[in-house]
Amino acid sequence: ALGLIWALANWLSVRSIKLVQGESEPSEYAGLTSNEGGANKIEIMTQIGEYIARGANAFLVQEYKICFVFMLAMGIIIKLAIDRGGVSDWATTLAFWTGSITSIASGFIGMRVAVYSNYRTAFKAQTSLAEAFKVAFRAGCVMGFALTSLSLLVLNTLIVVYRRVYDFEPLDKDNLKNADCDT
């Protein structure tokens, strides 16, 4: 949970960057707001960012269509090959599907954060590479902490649920020594 909170804090920091020339810094972004050719460079940067976001979303839709077919087919193979019990014995297949959905959610979050933060990084790079690095680093923190925390949260939830449903006991040294292992 702390990782998700830290990711949210960094996301709010990246999101707070406004792509406008501030009144307190009129000369700092002067080159970005000049009307060369009748267009404001910040508006152009924002428009390009929107095009990239639409392209990224179109890519994700196509990728997830393929992933869904693969998930369905692989889930059936796992059910037939591993989960040989009754109707209620779908544990491995459900774990696979849960992990797949978590991976898709992580990819979506990662792509959205990357696209959103890229033109903000470029905006800050016009005046300060140090500020641009801070934006890029914070965006990386969002992705890293959010994706890792999300996957650990889902994994932990699966373990807790499976322990209750299947009455598993945690393994310790004594359980490992006495376990029947087919090798």
Side-chain angles (χ1 to χ4, degrees):
L2 290 177
L4 290 173
I5 292 169
W6 182 245
L8 179 63
N10 281 290
W11 170 247
L12 293 174
S13 175
V14 170
R15 202 176 107 185
S16 70
I17 298 168
K18 303 298 180 206
L19 300 177
V20 294
Q21 178 181 350
E23 293 177 14
S24 63
E25 48 203 9
S27 63
E28 187 176 9
Y29 297 104
L32 289 173
T33 56
S34 65
N35 285 328
E36 297 174 15
N40 181 316
K41 292 179 184 178
I42 294 174
E43 290 173 9
I44 293 170
M45 188 183 307
T46 304
Q47 187 177 22
I48 291 170
E50 290 170 3
Y51 291 147
I52 292 170
R54 275 192 270 170
N57 287 338
F59 166 76
L60 287 176
V61 166
Q62 294 303 315
E63 180 181 43
Y64 292 160
K65 285 178 184 178
I66 294 168
C67 286
F68 178 73
V69 171
F70 176 79
M71 286 169 43
L72 185 62
M74 211 47 211
I76 292 169
I77 291 169
I78 290 170
K79 172 63 179 153
L80 296 174
I82 296 173
D83 290 338
R84 296 181 186 207
V87 175
S88 65
D89 191 14
W90 284 78
T92 307
T93 304
L94 290 176
F96 171 75
W97 283 337
T98 303
S100 298
I101 291 168
T102 303
S103 179
I104 285 173
S106 296
F108 179 79
I109 292 168
M111 183 71 83
R112 296 296 295 222
V113 170
V115 169
Y116 191 84
S117 63
N118 281 344
Y119 56 95
R120 282 164 172 69
T121 302
F123 175 73
K124 286 295 188 178
Q126 298 295 317
T127 57
S128 169
L129 291 179
E131 289 299 314
F133 177 78
K134 286 179 187 177
V135 174
F137 188 80
R138 287 186 182 274
C141 283
V142 172
M143 289 190 290
F145 280 94
L147 306 184
T148 303
S149 299
L150 180 63
S151 63
L152 289 173
L153 179 65
V154 169
L155 178 62
N156 190 43
T157 302
L158 274 175
I159 290 170
V160 168
V161 169
Y162 281 14
R163 277 189 182 161
R164 289 193 178 144
V165 170
Y166 293 102
D167 198 27
F168 287 140
E169 293 182 27
L171 292 177
D172 58 17
K173 290 180 184 180
D174 294 331
N175 287 345
L176 285 175
K177 289 178 185 175
N178 298 327
D180 284 334
C181 296
D182 295 331
T183 55

